[in-house]
Amino acid sequence: MTFGFAPSSAASLSTSAASAHRVLEPAEWAAAGIPLLRDPRDVVSGLHARHHPRPGTAVIAVLDPDERLRASASFIPRPAPADGWMFRNVLLAQLRRVIPHDLRRRTPVRTAVLLYCREGDARWTEEDGAWMWGLRDACTLHGLRCGAYVTLTRDGWQVLGEGRGGRRPNADSPPEPLGSAETPPPPPRTGGAPSDVLRRAAAR
């Protein structure tokens, strides 16, 4: 009798099953309580203007509670099977590079969103599900809230799980000037300089 180490069909099935668990279906994503963006087009346009993504490019961004951009990074992941665990590691490496973690906070304050520019239409794919799994896990490990997952295709942009989207920007459109892609940040929700408080009171 000869003993070898050739992978069995059972082993390959278990590996396949393990990978399948690292993909989130749209229904799972919608049920996860992902916070909605107040102005998704503004966020998408701002990231598009900053990073000029082309198909195959991912952009990870961290927003403060007022949806102001605090940090972002764009990168082109190496070609690989859609696996949330691998995407999680890539996203976590990018987050660690651009912003300190918030693990000391009891409750996450900042939110990470992911924009992925790809070929095809706006319908959910297994690759999207792997990015969703990776984003959720990377946020947990970096002390952030998991935010929206947005696809950018030649048809336009789409916030998956929400049904919101638009035709511009898209994968082919030139980036808008950065100033026109962003609106001035809203005033702070609490506190602020006395002049700001008086100005708001006068406006009422």
Side-chain angles (χ1 to χ4, degrees):
M1 182 180 286
T2 304
F3 295 92
F5 294 93
S8 67
S9 58
S12 62
L13 283 173
S14 63
T15 303
S16 169
S19 296
H21 289 304
R22 296 193 286 255
V23 171
L24 286 179
E25 300 279 345
E28 295 175 292
W29 182 256
I34 306 298
L36 303 180
L37 290 169
R38 289 197 299 270
D39 190 347
R41 187 189 183 281
D42 187 56
V43 172
V44 173
S45 297
L47 295 178
H48 185 262
R50 268 190 169 79
H51 296 280
H52 311 175
R54 286 290 170 254
T57 305
V59 181
I60 182 75
V62 179
L63 309 177
D64 71 10
D66 291 316
E67 287 193 3
R68 288 176 293 202
L69 183 65
R70 288 306 177 206
S72 64
S74 61
F75 58 96
I76 299 176
R78 288 181 295 180
D83 186 342
W85 184 80
M86 294 178 65
F87 289 164
R88 184 275 307 272
N89 292 342
V90 173
L91 291 171
L92 195 55
Q94 295 295 328
L95 287 171
R96 287 170 174 165
R97 187 172 64 85
V98 298
I99 198 164
H101 67 74
D102 275 349
L103 293 171
R104 293 185 183 89
R105 293 183 178 273
R106 290 187 177 183
T107 304
V109 173
R110 297 181 292 191
T111 303
V113 300
L114 179 62
L115 171 72
Y116 184 51
C117 184
R118 61 166 172 77
E119 301 286 359
D121 57 32
R123 287 177 293 185
W124 180 90
T125 67
E126 188 174 331
E127 184 183 27
D128 293 326
W131 278 116
M132 290 170 165
W133 192 99
L135 176 63
R136 186 185 64 176
D137 218 41
C139 288
T140 299
L141 295 173
H142 206 66
L144 302 170
R145 287 201 311 169
C146 178
Y149 173 70
V150 185
T151 58
L152 187 71
T153 66
R154 289 184 168 86
D155 294 333
W157 58 272
Q158 179 82 17
V159 185
L160 291 194
E162 294 184 21
R164 293 191 290 175
R167 293 186 178 181
R168 293 182 69 86
N170 56 59
D172 289 331
S173 63
E176 299 176 7
L178 196 55
S180 66
E182 297 178 335
T183 56
R189 291 179 178 175
T190 58
S195 59
D196 291 337
V197 175
L198 291 174
R199 190 158 45 244
R200 288 199 295 274
R204 295 194 191 100

